[in-house]
Amino acid sequence: MELRLTRTFSDQYCTIGKMYCNGTFECFTLEDSPTLRPDNKGTIPVGKYSVIIDFSDRFQKYMPHVLDVPGFTGIRIHKGNTDKDTEGCILVGIEEGKDCLEGSKIAFDHLYIRLKNAESHNDPISLTITEEF
């Protein structure tokens, strides 16, 4: 399965994008602002990453895990609505608002089912991050 996250907007609060699964729009995304991270790491670098589903000690459940992100550890794709809900991770939602997402649980649950289905069929999951701003 090929995921593509295309960042479309960024301001001092967050970065908004769109996620596609195998070329079809799946959901909106929200990440930290590249300028306001306390550790000055910014957002996940543009590039291609492997994604697995494994157990998160922090969230105490199985979640999508973006592997080998330079300068980051524990990058997950998960539910959340604003930059306060992420520490470098990728949030998903069905609607974008002003510096927020709506319908995060619905978007995550749908995406998670697709990812689990790919995993159960031994279909490797990749994530390519690009920018259009």
Side-chain angles (χ1 to χ4, degrees):
M1 170 180 277
E2 293 189 24
L3 299 175
R4 182 170 44 95
L5 189 165
T6 302
R7 295 175 178 146
T8 57
F9 171 81
S10 189
D11 65 13
Q12 70 269 29
Y13 302 106
C14 67
T15 301
I16 299 288
K18 295 178 181 178
M19 184 172 289
Y20 300 84
C21 288
N22 295 328
T24 302
F25 176 77
E26 177 72 20
C27 58
F28 292 97
T29 62
L30 185 144
E31 301 171 81
D32 282 317
S33 167
T35 58
L36 278 189
R37 294 251 326 167
D39 54 16
N40 294 316
K41 288 184 180 177
T43 54
I44 300 167
V46 167
K48 186 172 184 175
Y49 304 95
S50 293
V51 177
I52 62 170
I53 297 175
D54 65 0
F55 190 78
S56 166
D57 290 331
R58 178 177 179 195
F59 291 99
Q60 292 296 298
K61 60 183 171 182
Y62 285 87
M63 300 177 66
H65 184 182
V66 183
L67 301 177
D68 303 319
V69 178
F72 291 85
T73 58
I75 296 296
R76 302 282 177 171
I77 300 172
H78 62 85
K79 297 178 262 189
N81 301 103
T82 71
D83 63 307
K84 293 181 180 25
D85 299 324
T86 182
E87 293 177 8
C89 293
I90 301 166
L91 308 179
V92 295
I94 58 171
E95 292 182 38
E96 64 176 319
K98 176 71 174 125
D99 297 324
C100 69
L101 295 177
E102 301 294 332
S104 187
K105 180 179 180 344
I106 295 166
F108 178 81
D109 290 349
H110 187 264
L111 177 62
Y112 189 76
I113 289 168
R114 293 189 73 178
L115 296 174
K116 284 296 287 180
N117 187 47
E119 181 186 64
S120 72
H121 288 94
N122 295 315
D123 183 8
I125 304 166
S126 66
L127 168 66
T128 301
I129 299 177
T130 62
E131 294 179 342
E132 289 187 350
F133 53 80

